[in-house]
Amino acid sequence: MKEIPSHYYKIKHSGKLDEYELGAERTLEKLSLINLFVGANNTGKSRFLRALFNMQFEFTMNNYDTGIFNGFLENIKNDFSKASFNNKVMIDNAITLGSDYLNNFINNITYKTPFFPPHHKGNYKELESLMGKMLKAGGWNEETSKIFIEDSHKFAKEKLERLRELKYNPDTINEKKRFYIPVLRGMRPLTEDLNADLYEKRTHSDYFPKENPLNNVLGNAKIFFSGLTLYNILKSNLLGKQQSRNSVHDFEEFLSKNFFNSKPITLIPREGADVVYVGIGNDEELPIHNLGDGLQNLIIITFNMFMEKEKCLFFIEEPELYMHPGFQRIFIEVLSSPLLNHHQYFITTHSNHLLGMTLDFENMSVFLFRKKGEGKEAKFLINQVSSRERNTLKELGVQNSSVFLSNSTIWVEGITDRLYLRKYMDKFKEEMGSGDKEYFEKINNFKEDYHYSFVEYQGANITHWSFDGKEEDKINAKAMCAQCFLIADGDIENKGTRKEDLEAVLGDRFEILKCKEIENLIPEEVIKKLVLKQASFFKRDLKLIGSHGKSLFSLYSSI
């Protein structure tokens, strides 16, 4: 089973956010790895993002809660009192610990609410330290000194093992850094001083003024990153130690593999220049401003995500700026990958493309912001929603005039066709990886929602569409989406002239399955394995004969 990374599941803020209406406990809950804040303009999304970035908060986690940990602590007390070494342990040959000391110690680190406090790492370390000392403990009992030492050692060893089983690891819970990536970002310096980050300075002065009492709560753990200092950061790393140089090369490979079809990427902070030059494949190295703002945006947003190997929180304003919808999908895929899923992400967005991806990624949560009232009486409502809700799209201003921006479309009869074909394509690419490398590199570069998108036409409804735009009483497919490739079930041959009509218009962009429906493409051995797994009573004879003389396989595959 794939291990789910630890992340905050519920946050109870400690700041003054009276204008926001949250849950009954004033909590933001059902958080995921990636959390989208959506809503119309002036509904408080960005303000809430900044407040969250800037505050300490109590929290619960996705994979355990305080109740489990408190139960473990109570178990320690009970087992200690039952131990056969007179409830005493000598630590470092000097300090004697009795049951009263341990009870007081446990009570002090027991959490009184379901939430963990902002600072709890020390409590864990103290408990770990105590158990570690008990492993080395010496004790005395005039009659059974040897048994005493063995029992104390066994007790501490068992508790340490149980503590680790709980995966109560503060390094994966209580983040060491928070990164805020403002909407003011870029890689072109605004002054001759390459160390001056005017975007960061402006963000500080506008959103986090010195008089704000929360401004320094988190100290150096808060980092604003606009990209303006990236030239100096890259230069310093490339002129630094081997490890620093390797980190830049690894980041270049990361960009190459995920965003540039595996073409080699080089980032060069040229001497005498004030911007980073970028080389892509065999093309000439060009200054960053000659390669488009979308590329700058990707580099700025992903740089610290890649470089930070320990858990961090990232607060990002509008990551979709200048970003093609296909790149937006790749961006979410990368955040969800084992390479970057140890972080947790909070994102404000107006992108319906990011919203739509919540259907394909289980690790995303959507929070809809609405404004109620005006002036000083205004309130901001925050509700977790499903991306399937039409009201969510309405809040983003998505109308029926929204169009596909992919290079091509694959038309299929329904949702099962889409899901099967997506999986078949993945398996095909996977198997081609061990064969023709050149062909594999070519097909492996194809990305859904960038190179192609699926369209479901629902069987007989295909007759409502015109693919050459000449039939005035039908919907013009050319006016709505890119060049299409249409796949039909084999039974289309029995439906009048539909097959001939589509062949005449689409030519080699029309494919008929050589079987009745997409499900009939499932290999026989897969169906056999499924039957054996789901119905154990077939194990003795997989070819049981049905009432019409068909084998079990024939009956199953004809469904």
Side-chain angles (χ1 to χ4, degrees):
M1 178 178 285
K2 190 180 295 185
E3 185 174 341
I4 301 175
S6 296
H7 61 254
Y8 294 126
Y9 179 74
K10 185 186 295 187
I11 285 174
K12 185 176 183 180
H13 66 78
S14 58
K16 293 183 178 180
L17 291 173
D18 295 335
E19 68 271 31
Y20 289 92
E21 294 187 5
L22 299 166
E25 296 180 303
R26 301 278 292 157
T27 60
L28 187 69
E29 51 189 83
K30 296 183 179 178
L31 297 167
S32 299
L33 172 74
I34 303 168
N35 302 279
L36 303 181
F37 295 169
V38 304
N41 287 327
N42 197 31
T43 53
K45 303 183 300 297
S46 295
R47 272 179 281 174
F48 188 82
L49 184 78
R50 294 190 290 269
L52 202 60
F53 165 77
N54 205 34
M55 70 171 60
Q56 292 180 304
F57 42 72
E58 298 178 353
F59 58 88
T60 65
M61 300 303 297
N62 62 314
N63 51 6
Y64 56 84
D65 57 38
T66 57
I68 295 175
F69 188 67
N70 286 346
F72 170 64
L73 297 178
E74 192 65 29
N75 179 261
I76 288 180
K77 290 197 296 185
N78 293 337
D79 285 358
F80 190 93
S81 64
K82 295 175 183 178
S84 61
F85 42 88
N86 293 340
N87 296 328
K88 292 181 180 180
V89 178
M90 177 178 286
I91 302 297
D92 297 333
N93 297 318
I95 305 172
T96 302
L97 303 183
S99 57
D100 290 342
Y101 175 91
L102 187 63
N103 287 340
N104 291 333
F105 177 86
I106 296 297
N107 289 336
N108 286 335
I109 65 173
T110 299
Y111 302 118
K112 311 303 180 186
T113 72
F115 295 93
F116 291 100
H119 300 295
H120 69 291
K121 181 175 180 178
N123 297 335
Y124 171 88
K125 287 298 184 184
E126 289 172 20
L127 180 61
E128 185 179 48
S129 175
L130 177 62
M131 295 298 107
K133 288 179 178 179
M134 291 182 69
L135 276 174
K136 302 176 182 179
W140 70 99
N141 183 306
E142 292 181 359
E143 298 179 358
T144 59
S145 176
K146 182 178 181 181
I147 295 175
F148 169 92
I149 295 173
E150 288 178 352
D151 285 351
S152 66
H153 185 277
K154 179 181 178 182
F155 170 83
K157 184 178 180 181
E158 288 178 352
K159 300 314 170 190
L160 267 178
E161 289 175 353
R162 176 60 179 148
L163 191 64
R164 287 160 184 161
E165 286 175 8
L166 289 176
K167 297 180 180 177
Y168 188 80
N169 184 352
D171 291 330
T172 63
I173 299 169
N174 201 19
E175 83 291 341
K176 294 184 177 180
K177 292 180 182 177
R178 298 183 183 188
F179 286 88
Y180 191 90
I181 303 177
V183 72
L184 285 175
R185 55 182 180 262
M187 292 175 62
R188 290 177 285 175
L190 303 178
T191 69
E192 294 182 358
D193 183 0
L194 298 183
N195 290 311
D197 190 339
L198 298 186
Y199 287 157
E200 178 185 2
K201 184 177 180 180
R202 189 75 215 191
T203 302
H204 265 290
S205 62
D206 288 343
Y207 300 147
F208 304 94
K210 293 181 179 179
E211 61 268 25
N212 185 340
L214 288 175
N215 192 49
N216 294 314
V217 166
L218 299 170
N220 295 329
K222 295 188 306 182
I223 300 171
F224 294 85
F225 189 73
S226 72
L228 288 184
T229 58
L230 196 49
Y231 176 94
N232 273 352
I233 293 174
L234 290 172
K235 184 175 182 179
S236 176
N237 283 349
L238 290 172
L239 295 177
K241 295 181 179 180
Q242 183 67 46
Q243 183 177 355
S244 299
R245 298 196 299 272
N246 289 342
S247 67
V248 175
H249 298 319
D250 291 343
F251 180 61
E252 292 170 337
E253 290 185 9
F254 161 80
L255 293 174
S256 168
K257 179 179 178 181
N258 290 287
F259 298 105
F260 293 95
N261 300 329
S262 296
K263 293 181 180 179
I265 299 294
T266 51
L267 304 176
I268 310 106
R270 279 192 183 179
E271 189 68 36
D274 64 353
V275 295
V276 175
Y277 276 65
V278 180
I280 303 177
N282 296 321
D283 294 343
E284 179 186 358
E285 296 172 359
L286 295 173
I288 190 69
H289 51 262
N290 282 358
L291 295 172
D293 292 323
L295 174 56
Q296 292 184 59
N297 194 36
L298 279 171
I299 293 174
I300 292 166
I301 292 176
T302 60
F303 180 75
N304 287 301
M305 295 176 183
F306 179 85
M307 291 297 183
E308 294 292 339
K309 304 308 179 185
E310 296 189 19
K311 176 181 174 65
C312 299
L313 297 185
F314 284 85
F315 300 80
I316 312 168
E317 292 184 342
E318 317 293 341
E320 70 274 12
L321 290 179
Y322 321 114
M323 199 182 292
H324 186 282
F327 267 2
Q328 293 180 38
R329 169 173 282 276
I330 298 172
F331 174 66
I332 295 298
E333 289 176 349
V334 169
L335 297 192
S336 305
S337 70
L339 190 64
L340 299 183
N341 68 4
H342 56 291
H343 303 310
Q344 190 170 10
Y345 306 92
F346 298 87
I347 296 170
T348 62
T349 182
H350 290 111
S351 171
N352 60 300
H353 300 286
L354 291 183
L355 185 65
M357 290 173 206
T358 60
L359 300 175
D360 295 328
F361 294 87
E362 296 180 353
N363 55 7
M364 297 177 71
S365 293
V366 181
F367 297 90
L368 178 61
F369 286 65
R370 295 188 181 96
K371 185 179 180 182
K372 182 177 68 174
E374 298 294 336
K376 294 182 179 179
E377 303 300 320
K379 295 288 184 180
F380 300 100
L381 313 181
I382 306 177
N383 297 105
Q384 190 195 29
V385 296
S386 167
S387 62
R388 296 175 183 267
E389 295 182 24
R390 288 185 177 272
N391 286 339
T392 308
L393 290 173
K394 183 179 179 182
E395 296 289 340
L396 290 177
V398 179
Q399 302 296 328
N400 292 336
S401 58
S402 297
V403 297
F404 288 106
L405 298 179
S406 301
N407 294 333
S408 61
T409 50
I410 301 174
W411 289 57
V412 296
E413 292 215 7
I415 186 171
T416 53
D417 300 75
R418 174 167 59 87
L419 296 177
Y420 275 122
L421 287 171
R422 180 183 288 165
K423 182 57 66 174
Y424 285 145
M425 292 165 76
D426 289 341
K427 293 296 292 183
F428 177 70
K429 290 195 291 186
E430 180 182 318
E431 293 183 9
M432 285 302 301
S434 58
D436 188 334
K437 298 296 184 182
E438 184 176 349
Y439 182 63
F440 169 73
E441 288 296 331
K442 181 179 179 180
I443 65 171
N444 193 49
N445 292 333
F446 294 148
K447 303 292 184 181
E448 186 176 349
D449 287 340
Y450 180 71
H451 295 95
Y452 64 90
S453 293
F454 283 103
V455 178
E456 299 171 15
Y457 60 83
Q458 302 303 323
N461 287 339
I462 195 65
T463 59
H464 301 166
W465 295 89
S466 170
F467 291 93
D468 59 6
K470 296 179 180 180
E471 299 171 90
E472 294 182 359
D473 60 332
K474 295 185 179 182
I475 305 169
N476 186 353
K478 285 186 174 181
M480 296 189 63
C481 61
Q483 182 170 260
C484 77
F485 180 84
L486 192 147
I487 302 173
D489 289 344
D491 58 6
I492 195 176
E493 301 202 28
N494 303 321
K495 297 178 180 179
T497 63
R498 196 178 299 172
K499 171 190 172 185
E500 290 73 19
D501 294 341
L502 290 170
E503 282 180 335
V505 175
L506 296 173
D508 60 2
R509 292 185 287 114
F510 176 56
E511 181 75 17
I512 302 177
L513 297 179
K514 294 180 174 59
C515 54
K516 182 180 178 182
E517 294 178 340
I518 191 80
E519 288 82 356
N520 299 109
L521 291 176
I522 303 174
E524 179 179 348
E525 60 269 21
V526 173
I527 295 179
K528 287 180 178 180
K529 288 181 180 180
L530 177 62
V531 171
L532 289 173
K533 180 179 179 181
Q534 300 295 332
S536 58
F537 51 85
F538 287 128
K539 287 185 177 179
R540 299 183 65 182
D541 187 0
L542 188 60
K543 294 185 177 181
L544 289 174
I545 305 300
S547 58
H548 299 289
K550 293 184 177 181
S551 70
L552 174 64
F553 169 74
S554 299
L555 288 171
Y556 193 93
S557 61
S558 65
I559 295 176

